[in-house]
């Protein structure tokens, strides 16, 4: 009987000692993990950047490409092509999709 009481009291003592250790570890890991997740997955949603539009216009064959007009809806890039001056219009959303050439 004394052997059983000794084991039961040791188990109860270990259970009581482990509760505060678990809570402090969980509390310390919680906010750090959420900050890391926010830093990894939070990206600003932006439209078509002027540098991206000029780079795409150069890929389409425009030389001396420059932004001539930028509005909330469109980005217009003008430059020279083989036949002369030309304009390319991109939508002002992510990825700069081509609207008109």
């Amino acid at each position: 009987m004394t052997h059983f009481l000794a084991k039961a009291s040791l188990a109860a003592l270990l259970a009581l000692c482990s509760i505060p250790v678990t809570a402090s570890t969980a509390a310390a890991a919680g906010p750090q993990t959420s900050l890391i997740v926010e830093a990894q997955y939070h990206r600003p949603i932006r439209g078509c950047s002027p540098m991206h539009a000029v780079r795409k216009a150069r890929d389409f064959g425009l030389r001396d490409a420059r932004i001539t007009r930028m509005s909330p809806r469109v980005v217009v890039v003008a430059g020279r092509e083989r036949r002369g001056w030309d304009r390319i219009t991109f939508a002002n959303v992510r990825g700069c999709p081509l609207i008109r050439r």
Side-chain angles (χ1 to χ4, degrees):
M1 183 75 172
T2 57
H3 190 61
F4 173 74
L5 287 175
K7 283 188 177 185
S9 62
L10 181 64
L13 180 65
L14 286 174
L16 287 174
C17 291
S18 65
I19 290 173
V21 172
T22 307
S24 66
T25 305
Q32 292 173 352
T33 305
S34 66
L35 290 175
I36 291 170
V37 170
E38 283 181 28
Q40 287 177 350
Y41 296 110
H42 179 69
R43 292 185 185 157
I45 298 172
R46 296 177 48 183
C48 179
S49 73
M51 291 182 68
H52 188 67
V54 169
R55 195 174 309 126
K56 279 188 85 165
R58 287 181 183 155
D59 290 342
F60 280 120
L62 224 57
R63 291 176 290 162
D64 299 327
R66 295 184 182 137
I67 302 276
T68 56
R69 185 173 146 235
M70 189 163 181
S71 71
R73 291 182 182 241
V74 296
V75 177
V76 180
V77 180
R80 292 194 54 90
E81 207 177 30
R82 282 179 280 158
R83 293 173 283 148
W85 290 98
D86 197 12
R87 285 189 312 194
I88 298 178
T89 306
F90 297 105
N92 196 359
V93 294
R94 188 184 334 176
C96 299
L98 180 67
I99 294 178
R100 188 176 327 127
R101 180 153 186 178

